[in-house]
């Protein structure tokens, strides 16, 4: 019984916690011919909701003390915020359904309105899960490309000169964001399973 009710809640929690609470970063190194102009520790931090075009940073040009101000490319905030919003509301709905199933089971079984409403709402959430997971999967792909150290290095004028050495010190860790997409897909499946069980058994 709990597996059909609790699973959507657990997967929804994982979905919005791993995405909505994410913060990451990368570190780059620009080693100029003139060592005094080098910067071997360029930190770039970003976080939910992934408005990457607002993430700015400065890098050496290797041409005296002049510095180049750059920004990451892209804005995945709409897909990320939609993803988290669906996850939050899915969690709240699953929580409310749990209360109804446990404490108001008799009223739920009295007529077909309860199961019918439950069925309709669950169908809507299943659709939103599908749309949300697809949109965020594309958004996450864009975030990965935009924060790829190799792509960021291409933005720097100093790195276009063969005499300067540009390197990635470390890349952002995306494992939790990958988990968020998988969690949303699993939550959608769990909602569909609970929908079928509620429709057939009235539980």
């Amino acid at each position: 019984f709990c597996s059909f009710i609790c699973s959507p809640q657990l997967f929804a929690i994982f979905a919005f916690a791993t995405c909505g609470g994410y913060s990451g970063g990368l570190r780059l190194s620009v080693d100029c011919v003139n060592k005094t102009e080098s910067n071997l520790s360029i930190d770039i931090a970003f976080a939910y909701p992934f408005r990457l075009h607002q993430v700015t940073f400065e890098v050496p040009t290797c041409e005296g003390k002049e510095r180049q101000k750059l920004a990451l490319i892209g804005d995945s905030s709409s897909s990320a915020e939609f993803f988290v919003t669906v996850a939050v509301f899915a969690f709240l709905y699953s929580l409310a359904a749990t209360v109804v199933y446990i404490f108001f089971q008799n009223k739920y079984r009295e007529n077909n309105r309860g199961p019918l409403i439950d069925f309709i709402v669950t169908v809507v959430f299943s659709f939103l899960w599908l749309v949300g997971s697809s949109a965020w999967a594309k958004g996450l792909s864009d975030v990965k490309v935009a924060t790829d150290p190799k792509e960021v290095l291409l933005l720097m004028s100093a790195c276009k000169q063969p005499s300067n050495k540009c390197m990635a010190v470390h890349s952002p860790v995306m494992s939790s964001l990958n988990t968020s997409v998988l969690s949303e897909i699993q939550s959608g499946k769990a909602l569909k399973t609970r929908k079928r069980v509620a429709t057939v058994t009235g539980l």
Side-chain angles (χ1 to χ4, degrees), residues 58-114:
E58 291 188 349
V59 298
T61 60
C62 297
E63 297 176 355
K65 295 183 178 180
E66 184 181 353
R67 298 181 66 81
Q68 181 182 18
K69 188 173 183 179
L70 298 171
L72 296 178
I73 298 174
D75 182 0
S76 298
S77 60
S78 58
S79 59
E81 289 173 339
F82 179 74
F83 175 90
V84 171
T85 299
V86 172
V88 170
F89 278 103
F91 168 75
L92 294 176
Y93 169 67
S94 297
L95 191 62
T98 302
V99 174
V100 172
Y101 294 158
I102 295 176
F103 298 104
F104 302 99
Q105 194 173 124
N106 292 333
K107 290 185 178 181
Y108 182 82
R109 291 178 173 181
E110 282 179 1
N111 53 58
N112 291 328
R113 290 185 62 187

Side-chain angles (χ1 to χ4, degrees), residues 159-203:
C159 299
K160 297 176 182 179
Q161 302 299 324
S163 56
N164 302 320
K165 296 180 181 179
C166 299
M167 297 175 55
V169 179
H170 71 70
S171 302
V173 178
M174 297 289 189
S175 56
S176 63
L177 293 181
N178 294 332
T179 301
S180 70
V181 175
L182 295 176
S183 296
E184 181 146 8
I185 294 173
Q186 292 301 322
S187 182
K189 291 180 180 178
L191 277 171
K192 291 179 182 178
T193 301
R194 192 182 60 75
K195 172 190 68 179
R196 291 195 295 268
V197 172
T199 303
V200 173
T201 66
L203 293 177

Side-chain angles (χ1 to χ4, degrees), residues 143-164:
V143 170
K144 288 181 177 180
V145 172
T147 58
D148 184 342
K150 293 180 181 179
E151 295 294 325
V152 179
L153 289 174
L154 292 176
L155 302 174
M156 303 180 186
S157 60
C159 299
K160 297 176 182 179
Q161 302 299 324
S163 56
N164 302 320

